[in-house]
Amino acid sequence: MDLHELSIQQAHELLSSRKVSSEELTRAYLERIRRLDPQIKSYVTVSEELALKQAKEADQRIKTGEGLTPLTGIPYSAKDSISTRGINTTCSSKILENYKPFYDATAIKKLNSSNSVLLGKNNMDEFGMGSSTENSGFFTTRNPWNFDYVPGGSSGGSAAAVAAGLTPFSLGEDTGGSVRMPASFCGVTGLKTTYGRVSRYGLIPLVSSFDTIGPMARSVYDVALVLETIAGHDAKDSTSRLEPVENYSEILKTTENLRGLRIGIPKEYFVEGLDSAVDFSVRDAIKHIESLGAEVIEVSLPHTQYAIPVYYLILFAEASSNLAKYDGIRFGLSERSVESLMDVYLKTRETGFGAETKRRIMLGTFALSAGYYDAYYLKAQKVRTLIRQDFQKAFETCDALITPVAPATAFRIGEKITNPLDMYLSDVFVVAVNLAGIPALSVPCGISNGLPIGMQIMGPHLSEETLLRIGHLYQSQTDWHTKHPPL
Ligand code: GLN
């Protein structure tokens, strides 16, 4: 087996028995990135110097054998909206093209404490706005399974890098599906964490009330290893949860069946327009999960049809406010070769932001303006509560819900980019989860015409353990997650 095919668990065994060094492993990934990434374009920045330095430090630690964790010496990458000290953090926006944070996000800090090795930063839709990575201010990432197709978005660079063997795992950000959708399109496993389970400190915000950081990797077990490292309360993020972090990977080792679990199938997610191959694969996976001992029942989430308009309204509003600070004076790019202060603002934002970002800022500013606030933003917040209550009600009768991640497999590059509404609609199955703040896991469950299909397993707040158990047991009996794109 090649080094880039190892799971975190397998790599850890080789590292701790000193059959392979972190430096060798890191060099193997850097070499593969050099060879394949010019075509896939999953990285915005490769932090080679830092990676080799961290790998050598990890090897030192492995030599002494002190305080080793399963992630010691393991390379990884992170979405470019997650702050990394001294390493460009651009959100794939021209406005932050040269921004080097002077601190690490808490999630990165925790990985540093494990002596994990940062390979670089992954491409994304600008500030996380998009479902295809075509909205990156720099370039479009390609789906490693077929270069004519999108990798999904907005964490498309992260998903493509994991799928192509250009990193064992990546940290993504999910505000409205950005971990799950690209995971599904690229055939990798991705977890959208409960709001507040992982500190948002150092995550450049898109929508502060939706944003979450979550791991993307090649198996549920690997996702569990990353989650138990990065999760937990953080004094620097007042919205982070106080509950102790479970030892997820240990729990998975002892899970033998799913007896006693009740799984709901929301009927609103299996409707006309759902691609038949996706429908077939997800239903087949549900049957499999039933055979592992779970009971399957039909449930209803009656306000599902409002999820897209409510999500986008709140997003426009909060994003327009979060992005106001990029004004040419306080943060980022500054266009100074102009006549007046007003022109600094105008020129900076005109050249710094892409078309989709500008569209959302304008719509959000409108939705928050006097006279419209009640009609749009306030109304959307009320319907958000109804959607959250739908989930609460469903979780009174079941432990988890299973749905497709997306209505179809990856679409072609260029297919939806000129029609924003069409692009927004591809998020139809993922955004309700963010409105409710609950966790959801995306697990590969099929392939159609050479492109991966994913199922989504959702649960109540802080039910990560249940979701991981279901996904892990499914993966221990199926091999969809082990399939690689033909590179
Ligand atoms: N498709 C979503 C959007 O465009 C993705 C948001 C996200 O999760 N970052 O808003």
Side-chain angles (χ1 to χ4, degrees):
M1 202 187 248
D2 286 328
L3 289 180
H4 71 267
E5 285 177 13
L6 300 174
S7 67
I8 297 178
Q9 195 185 6
Q10 290 165 327
H12 171 66
E13 276 160 28
L14 291 181
L15 287 171
S16 52
S17 60
R18 304 196 31 207
K19 293 200 177 88
V20 170
S21 69
S22 174
E23 189 179 336
E24 281 171 272
L25 190 60
T26 302
R27 285 192 191 277
Y29 275 105
L30 290 171
E31 193 280 317
R32 196 170 159 85
I33 293 169
R34 238 184 327 266
R35 192 155 50 82
L36 296 177
D37 210 47
Q39 273 187 296
I40 299 173
K41 297 178 186 298
S42 64
Y43 282 85
V44 177
T45 302
V46 178
S47 46
E48 176 158 354
E49 205 180 308
L50 174 70
L52 291 171
K53 178 173 162 274
Q54 289 182 331
K56 283 175 192 155
E57 284 165 10
D59 283 330
Q60 253 345 87
R61 182 150 166 189
I62 292 168
K63 220 184 253 169
T64 64
E66 263 167 58
L68 290 196
T69 81
L71 297 186
T72 305
I74 304 285
Y76 75 100
S77 59
K79 187 175 187 172
D80 213 17
S81 53
I82 301 176
S83 299
T84 42
R85 186 157 60 111
I87 302 293
N88 276 18
T89 299
T90 68
C91 288
S92 289
S93 177
K94 292 216 166 72
I95 216 152
L96 286 178
E97 192 163 4
N98 300 310
Y99 172 55
K100 285 191 191 9
F102 52 85
Y103 67 101
D104 281 317
T106 297
I108 299 284
K109 229 179 177 166
K110 292 191 171 208
L111 290 169
N112 286 343
S113 317
S114 270
N115 282 92
S116 306
V117 175
L118 181 71
L119 294 169
K121 307 294 292 289
N122 294 121
N123 195 26
M124 55 187 281
D125 288 293
E126 185 174 25
F127 288 103
M129 301 189 191
S131 313
S132 67
T133 318
E134 291 165 290
N135 290 332
S136 163
F138 307 134
F139 42 74
T140 297
T141 300
R142 292 172 188 277
N143 190 315
W145 290 83
N146 185 328
F147 290 171
D148 295 334
Y149 287 76
V150 303
S154 64
S155 315
S158 293
V162 173
L166 304 180
T167 184
F169 75 91
S170 182
L171 294 186
E173 159 270 337
D174 193 311
T175 299
S178 283
V179 160
R180 291 160 284 154
M181 211 240 238
S184 162
F185 280 10
C186 292
V188 305
T189 304
L191 176 68
K192 185 269 172 204
T193 49
T194 301
Y195 182 76
R197 179 70 299 187
V198 176
S199 168
R200 286 184 295 117
Y201 182 72
L203 169 66
I204 297 179
L206 171 55
V207 181
S208 307
S209 71
F210 295 158
D211 295 347
T212 54
I213 291 181
M216 304 168 82
R218 292 193 206 113
S219 69
V220 171
Y221 190 83
D222 283 0
V223 161
L225 289 174
V226 180
L227 180 65
E228 65 200 26
T229 307
I230 62 171
H233 181 253
D234 179 10
K236 293 192 173 119
D237 173 6
S238 62
T239 61
S240 66
R241 305 280 304 227
L242 290 161
E243 290 82 351
V245 178
E246 281 149 298
N247 195 336
Y248 303 106
S249 60
E250 277 308 311
I251 296 171
L252 296 187
K253 280 189 198 149
T254 55
T255 301
E256 279 164 9
N257 60 58
L258 300 177
R259 255 177 253 138
L261 276 190
R262 195 184 266 178
I263 310 257
I265 310 302
K267 60 172 194 254
E268 290 80 3
Y269 284 66
F270 292 84
V271 285
E272 230 189 273
L274 178 63
D275 177 89
S276 59
V278 173
D279 187 57
F280 174 84
S281 297
V282 175
R283 285 185 195 280
D284 198 54
I286 293 169
K287 270 191 229 142
H288 210 103
I289 285 165
E290 199 171 12
S291 76
L292 292 165
E295 182 191 345
V296 175
I297 59 169
E298 190 184 90
V299 297
S300 173
L301 300 168
H303 297 94
T304 298
Q305 58 175 308
Y306 303 113
I308 287 276
V310 166
Y311 165 81
Y312 274 97
L313 247 162
I314 297 174
L315 180 142
F316 297 156
E318 286 196 37
S320 73
S321 143
N322 269 329
L323 294 174
K325 59 180 168 283
Y326 305 106
D327 57 3
I329 303 293
R330 289 174 290 175
F331 286 96
L333 178 81
S334 184
E335 290 285 354
R336 295 289 171 91
S337 48
V338 288
E339 299 280 292
S340 65
L341 177 62
M342 191 53 150
D343 286 342
V344 174
Y345 297 141
L346 292 175
K347 191 79 193 297
T348 299
R349 289 167 75 84
E350 191 194 319
T351 42
F353 287 137
E356 179 62 21
T357 304
K358 286 178 194 155
R359 179 181 298 122
R360 293 190 188 198
I361 290 173
M362 286 192 284
L363 287 166
T365 307
F366 176 78
L368 288 176
S369 54
Y372 295 103
Y373 178 88
D374 291 359
Y376 295 112
Y377 187 68
L378 205 62
K379 186 66 158 271
Q381 289 291 10
K382 287 180 180 164
V383 183
R384 177 184 189 174
T385 302
L386 295 176
I387 291 172
R388 192 182 307 140
Q389 286 167 351
D390 277 0
F391 282 107
Q392 277 162 358
K393 198 148 170 263
F395 292 132
E396 280 167 17
T397 54
C398 53
D399 303 287
L401 303 171
I402 296 186
T403 73
V405 176
T409 51
F411 43 91
R412 272 178 187 279
I413 291 175
E415 190 180 322
K416 295 186 197 276
I417 194 70
T418 51
N419 186 340
L421 277 184
D422 219 22
M423 188 74 86
Y424 300 167
L425 283 174
S426 57
D427 298 341
V428 60
F429 297 151
V430 282
V431 294
V433 160
N434 300 76
L435 293 169
I438 58 175
L441 180 68
S442 172
V443 178
C445 69
I447 292 176
S448 165
N449 292 323
L451 291 167
I453 296 171
M455 75 166 138
Q456 170 169 242
I457 315 175
M458 322 173 191
H461 291 115
L462 298 176
S463 66
E464 275 83 354
E465 180 225 301
T466 310
L467 308 187
L468 294 170
R469 271 170 51 214
I470 298 170
H472 176 66
L473 220 52
Y474 175 75
Q475 289 190 339
S476 66
Q477 312 224 339
T478 54
D479 64 357
W480 295 112
H481 65 293
T482 65
K483 304 220 183 286
H484 302 301
L487 288 170

